[in-house]
């Protein structure tokens, strides 16, 4: 691939080269931005846009796994909002494959595609001025150890090169823990942690007569490894030293159900097995894995030994746990916990204030987190702290600074599909095992439903009075469908239950507490951070997907990430309207609806609409949005300052307003300005259905706010917020959610009618969640919304400015010619599609007539049956 030259900023460190080459290379799949050594042997800066003159704050991130990537993404997002000081981001990756999704490792055995696991390709790093160095950092030299005049420390990589930093972020993650078992380093013994590990397993299985495999360790990763080995058509046994697998997530009853399901897919769990050694005897030299031998187990009052037979197998995967990668912290004198992990405070800061640690390398309050979601939460905190510090550097220490987030630990609740078995645990799911008590000071009560025939298990723990849900364990597809709602009910601050414990168990009169499939799909996409339909299908689906789930997933992905919906690979998922960014009309034409926020428009923009309509001969109608009847039209509108009105999507359409206090003698507040602010905040945000709003400047309600999904009506003391209204085929009057709300708060309160009717707890529950923050999720929701709104791009403008995207809207793929094939007629001085024929008025050409035309043309054509209608 062609290389592109990149130069340093004027304040580049003196010990770094002044020029370097950045390229996307296929020699280290998948392609990433790689910094090549300059002529003097030093590493240059790969920032493609490093000609920016803003002052730079040097940030070095060590580790480019899932958490390291999320940290880089958070820093890039901060730079997008900042006009002053910028971050010069350098990230080190010691693996040959960068930024891939470890949660999808098992699927690698099916598709063997690194690209399918890759979360960001090389172009993304180049476009966002992120320097990626594919080397291992071997030493951190802290600021206290270097010259006093230096701004910060530096890291040394395995080539001996130095990279200086002002802020260092260690995202080194963890390594597979390998116990001291005799012969554990022999041929045929592997760990299950990286793509390299998987390739070694696959290569070994394909090069030898391997028929049986054993996994030492029955935890989450152990069962994932077992499922992967099963896909290699091997006989698989899971060896677990505890009484059952998933001992940290399940109790004995839940594990029994899970074991039954695992046996169905050919995975056998062997409990109470403590491996003594790995037996050798395989291969031509007799030095390859041949089986496992177990230690005698002492049990009973007299501690009798129970001898287990040896387990014959040709391959072993060790998956007994992970250990934090804290060797760099040890080496530079940072505080390290005695059980492993770099000690951090609530800002994720180490004993050196210029060094942060995130992810599995962290020890926070003595707790070590081995899941990816806590790592993501840590990245959010570090980004918030760094934003606060940058604000202070730019505006001075005495200036008012935004409040930074703090890390208060993570919820270890989880919902997984392991080897085809659905398993979930949430809240304090072992409250009955330890000294924990209910809020009322009494021991918790346990309620469980076990269906051995359907292989379903649901165990819920309640306060002694049954008013609070503390936690639970769920096994089986039907039971885990309740996870989302049950998890929310168990969170601190959720308050007393609105339904009885019997209802939550599925034994009462109320309907199931479970969420519908769309809700589950949304939560899965949100938790796994899936960016494409393929990722979601590989991890949680089957087959190739249907025409119902594809547009649903498209809408969910757009709601989570705000990616361009007509970009690959999202385009094939879209319905017709989203595919063409316009509403298809009767006759086959499309309507174009530019956004006119709040209905306010300047004379110049109004003239442009008229000019475009006249030039292209379009029907024109003025409604709540300006509807006119694609890239050529868009280009004219975009040039005039218009944006897509998203009338084709399940998104915010319009926020109608009256003129308010700006002009109306009855107006008490500026409804037009607020309508524009609300519309611009939520424009482009996808939802399960289209959303409309209204803002009235007084109780005379000229904007008809109470017939919208959300409406705001001005009062002397604030704004009344209405939700759940709509017009259409089933009109419904909105209901009052909150009265006399301040303008700062009112912009956060929005939602809709049929959904309200189905909502458990109704309006009062909605008030509890949104206004009183009963579930403690308001801050998270606001952050998610901010991420969407901050990443907004006009879809029309993206198409107009991209030749590749414009080509998708051409009538023919191989020519710029067009063909008029829509019959139009004129009424009231404007064109419209001709009426469709009625009855036998114009049935179209018959088969005989068509065959006659073909024969006269002299072409050898024939009819082919493609289906029936």
């Amino acid at each position: 691939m062609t290389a592109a030259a990149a130069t340093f900023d004027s304040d580049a460190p003196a010990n770094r080269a002044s020029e370097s080459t950045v390229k996307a290379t296929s020699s280290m799949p998948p392609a990433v931005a790689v910094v090549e050594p300059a002529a003097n042997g030093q590493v240059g800066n790969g920032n493609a846009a490093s000609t920016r003159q803003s002052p730079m704050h040097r940030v070095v991130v060590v580790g480019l796994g899932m958490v390291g990537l999320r940290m880089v993404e958070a820093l890039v997002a901060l730079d997008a909002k900042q006009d002053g000081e910028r971050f010069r981001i350098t990230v080190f990756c010691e693996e040959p494959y960068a930024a891939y999704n470890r949660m999808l490792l098992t699927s690698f055995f099916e598709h063997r595609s690194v690209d399918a696991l890759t979360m960001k390709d090389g172009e993304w790093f180049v476009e966002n001025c992120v320097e990626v160095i594919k080397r291992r950092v071997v030493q951190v030299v802290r600021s206290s150890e270097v010259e006093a005049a230096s701004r910060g420390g530096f890291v040394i990589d395995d080539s001996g090169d130095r990279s200086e930093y002002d802020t260092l972020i260690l995202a080194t993650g963890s390594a597979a823990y390998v116990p001291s078992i005799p012969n554990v380093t022999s041929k045929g013994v592997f760990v299950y942690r990286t793509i390299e590990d998987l390739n070694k397993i696959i290569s070994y299985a394909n090069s030898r007569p391997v028929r049986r495999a054993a996994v030492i360790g029955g935890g989450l990763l152990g069962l994932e490894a077992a499922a992967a080995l099963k896909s290699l058509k091997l006989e698989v046994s899971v060896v677990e030293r505890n009484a059952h697998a998933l001992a940290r997530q399940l109790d004995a009853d839940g594990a029994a159900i899970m074991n039954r399901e695992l046996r169905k897919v050919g995975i056998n769990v062997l409990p109470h097995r403590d491996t003594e050694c790995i037996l050798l005897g395989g291969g031509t030299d007799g030095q390859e894995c041949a089986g496992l031998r177990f230690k005698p187990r002492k049990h009973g009052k007299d501690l009798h030994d129970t001898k287990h037979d040896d387990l014959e197998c040709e391959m072993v995967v060790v998956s007994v746990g992970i250990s934090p990668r804290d060797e760099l912290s040890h080496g530079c004198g940072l505080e390290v916990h005695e059980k492993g992990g770099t000690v951090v405070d609530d800002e994720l800061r180490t004993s050196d204030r210029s060094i942060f640690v995130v992810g599995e390398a962290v020890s926070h309050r003595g707790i070590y987190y081995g899941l990816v979601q806590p790592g993501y939460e840590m990245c959010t905190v570090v980004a918030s702290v760094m934003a606060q510090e940058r604000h202070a550097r730019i505006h001075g220490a005495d200036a008012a600074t935004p409040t930074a987030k703090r890390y208060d630990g993570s919820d270890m609740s989880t919902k997984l599909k392991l080897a085809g078995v659905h398993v979930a645990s949430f809240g304090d799911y072992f409250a009955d095992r330890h000294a924990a008590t209910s809020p009322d000071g009494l021991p918790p009560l346990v309620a469980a439903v076990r269906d051995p025939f359907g292989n379903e298990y649901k165990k819920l723990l309640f306060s002694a009075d049954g008013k609070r849900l503390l936690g639970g364990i769920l096994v089986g597809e039907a039971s885990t469908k309740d996870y989302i709602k049950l998890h929310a009910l168990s969170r601190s601050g959720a308050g007393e239950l609105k339904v009885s414990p019997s209802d939550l168990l599925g034994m009462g009169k109320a309907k199931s507490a479970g969420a519908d499939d769309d809700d589950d799909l949304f939560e899965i996409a949100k938790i796994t951070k899936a960016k494409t339909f393929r990722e979601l299908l590989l991890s949680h689906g089957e087959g190739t997907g249907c025409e119902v789930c594809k547009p649903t997933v498209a809408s969910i992905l757009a709601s989570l990430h705000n990616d361009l919906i007509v970009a690959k690979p999202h385009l094939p998922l879209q319905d017709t309207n989203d595919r063409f960014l316009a509403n298809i009309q009767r006759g086959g034409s499309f309507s174009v609806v530019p956004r006119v926020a709040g209905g306010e428009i300047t004379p110049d923009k109004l003239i442009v609409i008229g000019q475009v309509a006249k030039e292209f001969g379009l029907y024109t109608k003025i409604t709540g949005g300006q509807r006119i009847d694609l890239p050529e039209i868009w280009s004219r509108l975009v040039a005039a300052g218009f944006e897509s009105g998203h009338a084709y999507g399940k998104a915010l359409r319009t926020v109608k307003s009256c003129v308010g206090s700006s002009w109306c003698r009855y107006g008490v507040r500026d409804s037009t300005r607020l309508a524009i602010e609300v519309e611009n905040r939520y424009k482009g945000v996808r939802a399960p259905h289209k959303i409309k709003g209204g803002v009235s400047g007084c109780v005379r309600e000229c904007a008809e706010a109470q017939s919208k999904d959300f409406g705001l009506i001005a009062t002397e003391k604030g704004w009344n917020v209405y939700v759940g209204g709509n017009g259409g085929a089933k009109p419904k009057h909105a209901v009052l959610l909150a009265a006399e709300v301040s303008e700062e708060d009112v912009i956060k309160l929005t939602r809709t009618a049929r959904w309200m009717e189905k909502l458990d707890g109704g309006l009062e529950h909605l008030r509890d969640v949104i206004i009183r923050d009963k579930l403690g999720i308001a801050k998270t929701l606001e952050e998610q919304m901010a991420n969407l709104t901050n990443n907004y791009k006009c879809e029309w403008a993206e198409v107009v400015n991209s030749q590749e995207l414009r080509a998708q809207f051409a009538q023919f793929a191989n020519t710029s010619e067009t063909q008029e094939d829509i019959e139009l007629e004129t009424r009231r001085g404007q064109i419209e599609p001709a009426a469709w024929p009625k009855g036998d008025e114009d049935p179209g050409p018959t088969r005989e007539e068509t065959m006659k035309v073909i024969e006269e043309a002299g072409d050898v054509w024939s009819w082919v049956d493609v289906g029936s209608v």
Side-chain angles (χ1 to χ4, degrees), residues 511 724 726 730-733 752-763:
K511 62 181 181 180
N726 65 254
K730 295 181 179 180
K732 183 175 179 60
H733 199 282
T752 153
R754 302 296 161 234
W755 176 79
M756 277 277 293
E757 294 174 355
K758 300 176 182 179
L759 179 67
D760 288 347
L763 179 64

Side-chain angles (χ1 to χ4, degrees), residues 174-208:
S174 60
Y177 172 71
V178 180
S180 300
I181 302 173
N183 303 324
V184 75
T185 59
S186 302
K187 294 178 182 179
V189 182
F190 305 91
V191 294
Y192 186 89
R193 190 69 183 156
T194 68
I195 291 179
E196 286 183 285
D197 296 331
L198 271 57
N199 279 327
K200 291 176 182 177
I201 291 172
I202 293 170
S203 176
Y204 191 86
N206 291 337
S207 62
R208 292 164 173 80

